[in-house]
Structure formats: C-alpha cells, structure tokens
Amino acid sequence: MASFLSFASVIFFSFFAIAFSQLSSTFYDSSCPDVLSTIKTAVHAAVVKEKRMGASLLRLHFHDCFVNGCDGSILLDDTSSFTGEKTALPNANSVRGFDVIDTIKSQVESICPKVVSCADILAVAARDAVVILGGPSWEVELGRRDSTTASLDAANSDIPGPDSDLSSLMSAFSKKGLNTKEMVALSGSHTIGEARCTSFRARIYNETNIDSSLAMSLKSNCPSTGSDDKLSPLDSTPVIFDNSYYRNLVKNKGLLHSDQQLFNGGSTDSLVKSYSTNSATFWADFSSAMVKMGSISPLTGTSGEVRTNCRNTN
C-alpha cells in the first residue's frame, strides 16, 4: 500500500511539475508586450476608485484556482448547457469584481486580440491589487488558457468556507497540492477586505475564543437575525496589505471561525506567531504560495481557448 501511495505521489507531482513548467513569466513578451502595464493601470484605477476592490480581485483568483484549476471558469455566466460557478454558495452575493475584469479584458483585446487569456488576467490582477494596497510583488507565471465550461458542484465542494475547522482547511488545500504553511500564508489574504454578517454571525454569538470587545462591536453591525449582507472588516487594517491579520489572531480577534482556527491551540499556532512578528517572512511565504496556487492545473497548449469575452465561451 505504501509503495502504491509513493508511486501515486510521484505521478501527481510529476504531472504538477510538467504543468507548472508550461507556464512562463515571459509568455507574452513577444505576442503582447504591453499586457502587464495595461492590466496594472486598469487595476490601479479600479482600486483607487474603491479600495475594497483590491481584496475582491485577489479573491476572484483564489476562487477560480480552487475549482478545477486556474482556468477562468469563475467568470463564465450560466448557459443552457451548464450552470456556472457564480451562484455557488461560496460565491453568490459575495464574489465581485467581474466588471473590472470585463474592463481589463476589453482593453487587452484592443491591443492584442485573442492572445491573453482571462485566467492570466485574473492572476496578474490579483498580484497588482496586492501591490497597490502596500503588499509584496511576485513574478506571475503566464500561459494559462480559458476553460469552456464551469462547475457549480466543484465550487460548492472545493472552496473552503468561513465555518471550516483546521483539519478541513488543511485537507482542502492539500487536495490542491498546497501544504499547511502555504495554507496559513494564503489565509493572510484576509488582511484586506470585508466579510458579510452571515459569514461570521455564528462566531460572534456562539464562540468563546473571541475577544469580548470585538464581539460586542461586531454585534452592533450584525444582529442575530437579518442584515446578512452588512459588512465588517476582516482585520483592523482592511485596505492595507500587512500582517495585522496574524496579530489579530494572536489576540483572538479573527473575524471568521476559519480564521481563528489557525491560532487555537493547534499545529499552526507557531506559524501564525511567526507571521505576526515578522512581516517579511509572511510576505516571502505569501508570494511563493501565490505562485504555486496560480499553477494549479492550468490549461495550456491547445487545451481550452482564449476567450474574447470572459463571461462567455467563444
């Protein structure tokens, strides 16, 4: 049994390495040399207009990659042949920024028609959004192609929810080839953005491992019933990409149940403590994890397509 598992692991990681090697940071250097600056300018304009959009663009990339790989499937509207991912429980009335991606795609199409995929635009926009909000940069691997279908079921099953406990978080990330350290680092994306009342109501009314003053403050904006869409910041500096998220966790000030699970007497406590005191370590680990997440099961070569409209297949 052990030898079979070892063999299976070799096959999985060999496939993973092959897929990763097909992506390249220089993929568009000849075919669309101005694509990175075009995306950066558009993301900057969107985030300046609304700071929260930075978190939304980062989340779009995450929710795309966790459903059958980084293939732009989250952007597809429903059709007569399939129900897309936008109405899945983790996405409905929650994931946003589609209009920003539409704008970017339109601008990119005007300079390089049918060259740059929507999946690549998501990956670059996520990086640029983090940088604009004061976070680290990393070299985005490019060359993904877009899927021609989407999966509501996979979105419902594969994206970890706000009520996840530590073991289920570790399992969800492991299934995507991401280890525990990468899971904790990527969770740091919650240093920007806001969450809906429905995502943290159970925590502030039922859990004891939460700072009492924080819980009281949150209850004023999130009653025990109703007001599901009222927003509260995920950490104390929601428009600055820093390590406040981890400093909050050490003080039992995680907004979501899944957040506080990272510092709750378990195996990830030491990582949270490390990131809470050393932002450089967090930045380095986050950047590396984003590159790895961005390489989950990409469509490359002749697989998939390059959509001209991110909402619809060609």
Side-chain angles (χ1 to χ4, degrees):
M1 183 66 167
S3 60
F4 172 78
L5 290 174
S6 298
F7 177 75
S9 297
V10 169
I11 294 297
F12 172 79
F13 287 108
S14 295
F15 174 79
F16 185 85
I18 291 170
F20 183 80
S21 67
Q22 291 175 331
L23 301 180
S24 165
S25 61
T26 60
F27 189 82
Y28 295 114
D29 280 9
S30 298
S31 59
C32 193
D34 293 330
V35 63
L36 295 182
S37 60
T38 299
I39 296 173
K40 181 179 179 179
T41 299
V43 171
H44 185 270
V47 176
V48 167
K49 182 179 178 181
E50 183 198 0
K51 290 288 183 68
R52 182 185 168 214
M53 187 54 68
S56 298
L57 293 173
L58 175 58
R59 189 162 178 248
L60 264 182
H61 181 44
F62 178 91
H63 282 220
D64 180 41
C65 290
F66 260 63
V67 182
N68 298 326
C70 310
D71 59 3
S73 60
I74 193 172
L75 303 173
L76 287 171
D77 289 338
D78 295 351
T79 71
S80 58
S81 60
F82 67 83
T83 302
E85 298 162 20
K86 293 179 178 179
T87 56
L89 189 60
N91 296 333
N93 302 311
S94 178
V95 171
R96 57 198 293 274
F98 299 107
D99 54 337
V100 174
I101 299 301
D102 289 340
T103 297
I104 296 172
K105 179 60 173 174
S106 177
Q107 293 177 5
V108 170
E109 282 295 302
S110 70
I111 60 170
C112 307
K114 302 179 182 179
V115 172
V116 181
S117 68
C118 301
D120 277 348
I121 288 173
L122 284 178
V124 176
R127 187 271 310 274
D128 291 347
V130 168
V131 172
I132 290 165
L133 293 179
S137 184
W138 57 91
E139 198 164 60
V140 179
E141 299 289 317
L142 301 165
R144 303 167 191 81
R145 287 167 65 86
D146 297 321
S147 66
T148 55
T149 187
S151 176
L152 178 72
D153 290 342
N156 278 323
S157 64
D158 290 6
I159 299 172
D163 57 347
S164 300
D165 60 21
L166 182 59
S167 62
S168 61
L169 286 170
M170 292 168 67
S171 175
F173 279 74
S174 177
K175 288 176 182 176
K176 304 301 175 183
L178 298 164
N179 63 35
T180 298
K181 183 171 81 168
E182 289 159 345
M183 181 271 288
V184 176
L186 289 170
S187 296
S189 60
H190 283 182
T191 188
I192 53 175
E194 298 174 311
R196 295 188 302 151
C197 168
T198 186
S199 299
F200 59 86
R201 176 183 286 121
R203 170 157 167 74
I204 64 176
Y205 285 97
N206 302 328
E207 298 183 9
T208 57
N209 62 339
I210 183 170
D211 178 83
S212 57
S213 60
L214 174 65
M216 186 177 300
S217 171
L218 291 169
K219 287 175 182 177
S220 66
N221 190 47
C222 181
S224 56
T225 58
S227 300
D228 284 1
D229 294 330
K230 284 285 190 72
L231 298 171
S232 288
L234 281 159
D235 88 348
S236 49
T237 56
V239 294
I240 302 173
F241 196 98
D242 56 17
N243 66 340
S244 292
Y245 170 77
Y246 301 103
R247 296 202 302 269
N248 287 355
L249 295 185
V250 172
K251 300 173 184 175
N252 280 345
K253 291 185 176 182
L255 180 66
L256 307 178
H257 173 84
S258 56
D259 290 331
Q260 198 59 56
Q261 283 288 294
L262 302 183
F263 191 83
N264 194 41
S267 60
T268 54
D269 282 15
S270 59
L271 270 171
V272 170
K273 278 188 177 179
S274 173
Y275 293 155
S276 74
T277 59
N278 193 326
S279 59
T281 300
F282 163 49
W283 279 24
D285 289 353
F286 179 83
S287 298
S288 297
M290 284 296 295
V291 173
K292 188 172 178 182
M293 185 187 79
S295 65
I296 296 174
S297 305
L299 297 172
T300 58
T302 57
S303 299
E305 63 182 19
V306 175
R307 289 186 222 134
T308 56
N309 181 331
C310 291
R311 294 175 182 266
N312 306 298
T313 58
N314 293 341

